[in-house]
Amino acid sequence: MEDFKIKEEDSVIDNEQTTENTNDNYKKDNIIFQNEAEKGEKDSIFNFKYAVPILAGNLLLVIGMTILMFANYTSLNEANNKIMDLTAEVESMRNIVSDVENIKDDVSFLDTSIDEIRKLSYLTQLSLDASEGVVTDKVVIQKASLYSLGDTLYGYIDIRPQPSYNSYFQGQGKFNLTDRELKAMLEEVIAELEDYISPISMYNIKMEGGKIDITANNYSVAEYTDGVVILAGE
């Protein structure tokens, strides 16, 4: 019996120790859990404390980039507008240059036309002056009509005999002269004409290469070409 009691007491003691150990372990676990919870809470507070500035910084960065993009977009639009304006100005200048070139062509054409008009006016006046103004001892130029093609002189002269030479004129462009005598008479009057119209050189007009038809009372007598008198019918 005593041994049983001793064993029973030992068993009670073991149970009490086991219970105490269990309680001690529970308290330890509870303390560890509380410490971990407090640590987790502190870590959360710490993370949130530093997360706010980071989020704020990222937000500011996004806002800054948005503003920069908008500014760049505005600048690009302004640059494109300036480029379009410059392109329009360049095109306008091209049109002005083209107009100026056309005006220069018109002015050049007018200058040429004015020169031709001056030349024509001069030759018309010269024709009037030569009519009854160019004479030899045998014939008189009673009518002259002179004109130019380029820088070459063309025209015709109509002659009548001087009173002292009237007996040699048979009418209808015929003269009672040998071909040699007739050519000599015509060469004399052409030489007088060339001397009379020599001022045409200031308009760069020359007789070389041109032709002067010679008539008598409007009947063909001869033509003068390149310094040679060719009688009608030759």
Side-chain angles (χ1 to χ4, degrees), residues 24-112:
D24 289 339
N25 290 333
Y26 175 76
K27 287 179 181 180
K28 288 179 181 179
D29 292 339
N30 190 29
I31 289 170
I32 291 170
F33 176 78
Q34 288 179 354
N35 289 336
E36 289 180 353
E38 288 177 357
K39 182 179 180 182
E41 185 177 356
K42 287 180 181 180
D43 290 341
S44 296
I45 292 171
F46 176 80
N47 291 334
F48 182 76
K49 177 180 179 182
Y50 287 97
V52 170
I54 292 172
L55 289 174
N58 290 336
L59 181 60
L60 289 174
L61 181 61
V62 170
I63 293 172
M65 289 179 67
T66 302
I67 293 172
L68 183 61
M69 289 175 65
F70 180 77
N72 288 335
Y73 177 77
T74 303
S75 299
L76 286 173
N77 279 341
E78 290 177 353
N80 287 332
N81 291 334
K82 288 180 178 179
I83 290 172
M84 292 178 66
D85 291 340
L86 288 173
T87 302
E89 290 180 4
V90 168
E91 188 63 28
S92 177
M93 291 181 68
R94 284 178 180 171
N95 293 333
I96 291 172
V97 169
S98 178
D99 292 340
V100 169
E101 291 295 330
N102 291 333
I103 291 171
K104 286 173 64 179
D105 292 340
D106 293 340
V107 169
S108 178
F109 174 76
L110 287 173
D111 286 342
T112 302

Side-chain angles (χ1 to χ4, degrees), residues 189-216:
V189 73
I190 288 293
E192 288 294 327
L193 178 65
E194 287 182 333
D195 186 61
Y196 192 83
I197 66 175
S198 60
I200 63 175
S201 60
M202 63 184 178
Y203 288 95
N204 296 319
I205 301 172
K206 61 183 185 299
M207 293 188 68
E208 292 79 4
K211 184 178 79 167
I212 303 294
D213 290 315
I214 305 170
T215 61

